[in-house]
Amino acid sequence: MMSQSLSKTVKKTRVNSPFSVMVHKEMADHIRSWRFIILIGLIILTFIASMYVSLGNIRSAIGNVNDPDHTFLYLKLLTTTDNSTPPFHVFLSFLAPLLGISLGFDAVNSEQNKGTLTRLMAQPVYRDNLLLAKFVSALMLVAALFLVLVFLMIGGGLVLTGVRMEPQELLRIIGFIVISITYVGFWLSLSIVLSIKFRQAATSALTAIGIWLFFTVFYQIVVNLAIRSLLPDPAFLTQDQILGYNELILNVLRIAPNQLYTDASTTMLMPSVRSLGPMTMEQMAGAIPAPLPFKESLMIVWPQVSGMIGATVTCFALSYYLFMRREIRS
Amino acid sequence: MKNPIIQLKSLTKCYGSQKAVNNLNLDIQKGEIFGLLGPNGAGKTTTILMMLGLTDPTSGSAFVCGYNATNNPISVKRKVGYMPDSLGFYDDMTALENLMYIARLNGLTEKEIKIRTAEVMEIVGLSSVMNKKTSAFSRGMKQRLGLADVLIKEPEVIILDEPTLGIDPNGVREFLTLIKRLSKEQELTVLLSSHHLHHVQQVCDRVGIFVKGELLAQGNIDTLSGHLFGKAGHVVSISLVNDIPQPWTLEQELQKLETIKQITINKNTVEFECEQVITPELVRFFVEKDYGILGVYQKDYGLDDIYQKYFEDIN
């Protein structure tokens, strides 16, 4: 055929790798979907509500000289509240799982049910590219959303107050955003695993929400129950033993990803937090209540962050394991 | 001996204790249209999935275009276009966007994509509706878009899984003609699976009959019928104006012809079973003896009979 030979002679110029083609397509799909619009609306509403409350209380928070963090205006903007609504980072610890779950719960099973998965897998693309594209595209959108919100806040704050921003504050806020994105990434990869495991999107969504509810609501109750029945009466223990047990309880609670996130984001946004565990009187003695430098705060949250990354990677490895050798059939 | 483009060597796939495909050996040459014929659940789709590396064989190996499909599926998928039996498209995208997505995944440049998509849409006859969303497409249109999907990557081999399922007879004919034409024009090798014998009969050079995971026979339709009905030979029945009297004096004379093995008389029809085709001789004989001939019917064995015969053996 004439036309065929014609098209064959067209010089090969720049060719996108299948992976970037997939990421493009997934991102376009997300942006056009109602689901994502609703989620953006939800996050922006939360942001506006918490900004409104913190702006109303910022004067008293900055004026409070007893608070070692009172000089950090922009961190205060993110954390101040008059207790009518929770501050932004606490709100986010509820919304981030929702964001991750809703972007990932039907990643693979909807393609399978529509019959597009077979067609896709019949193309010369690696299977893991599909999983990675689903993960990366959703995470990029979330990252963009968070960064835009926070930079809007910073810019707005600069224009409204005219207060200079400490470099440390910027680093802390960016650290907080990175931690939040990692947290969303964990829930995203968990929901992708569930979307591979379950054929029905509703089942995988429900399971993901179940896991989220378990960790936010029931996990603490279960741990407390177990501790009360297993641990000896504190009245008969020395202080060292009590401290040891407290540490143990905290470590058990830290299995929950939301606990890790709350710990990490609090330390990032409140420079005066010096430790996430119990401290003895000796450790406290002589300590001046002053904000920690950024590097020290980072050192405190590093175990939390690596825990979250570890959990994400585990979920992702599991999704590879489930998907790579699976029979693709609709 | 040419190197076959598809080569399956003692391919076996088990689901638990059930054998979906059992020790399948099959060679398909370049440029052939091969029909994989079998009832539902015979293991046709499983075989195809193994050829594309979409599922792993329990034992044995599948070579397509010289690549091992299990170890090197990407190279195979570059050369092979596969149309699954239940086609799905992204409903919120237009036909053109769906096709362009697949083209991009195959590493075509934007310039090539523009030319190729227009070309392929023209070939499958969807140019007028290519900017419509695929959710509005009928089954037949989706099937055509599926074929466009396959052709966009300029494959060497096309594998079509139940391509005629759920389209009306007119659509089937057009579709099969299209496949046949493409195969001739572009020297494509086509593997077509179906449980519809007539469709397969229309286009395939060679047929493999596949039942319960085993390939019972392969070859072109003449070979298959010869293979099966060779012993029975050719059957000619001649119906006459008047009933034949019993006993029939001419029977003796006919018996002298060596190729005739059996003569059955039923009122005004005579059925001859013979080793060679002697229909003209028989007609001349009757004319010479002044018999009025109403009709001559030479029985041919079609795929239907072949199919039937195999199922008789199985059940």
Side-chain angles (χ1 to χ4, degrees), chain B residues 30-32 155-156 181-189:
Chain B
K30 193 171 164 54
E32 233 180 344
E156 289 178 18
R181 202 189 80 212
L182 286 171
S183 154
K184 290 283 163 298
E185 278 176 1
Q186 313 191 6
E187 280 188 36
L188 292 172
T189 313

Side-chain angles (χ1 to χ4, degrees), chain A residues 1 3 8 13 15 22 25 111 114 116 119-125 127 325-330, chain B residues 15 45-46 54-56 74 77 86 88-90 98 101-102 105-107 109 119 149 153-154 186:
Chain A
M1 279 169 83
S3 48
K8 262 182 180 163
T13 48
V15 174
M22 277 174 163
K25 191 244 160 207
E111 294 246 1
K114 269 191 288 183
T116 45
R119 219 159 51 87
L120 211 56
M121 288 295 105
Q123 309 310 323
V125 291
R127 281 192 192 191
R325 283 284 153 202
R326 176 191 226 194
E327 181 174 296
I328 309 287
R329 192 172 219 168
S330 41
Chain B
Y15 291 110
T45 305
T46 312
L54 291 178
T55 187
D56 294 345
I74 301 288
K77 287 179 201 164
S86 53
F89 295 95
Y90 297 105
N98 266 295
Y101 181 46
I102 295 298
L105 286 180
N106 278 290
T109 59
E119 234 175 67
D149 232 35
K153 62 162 99 167
E154 299 182 327
Q186 313 191 6

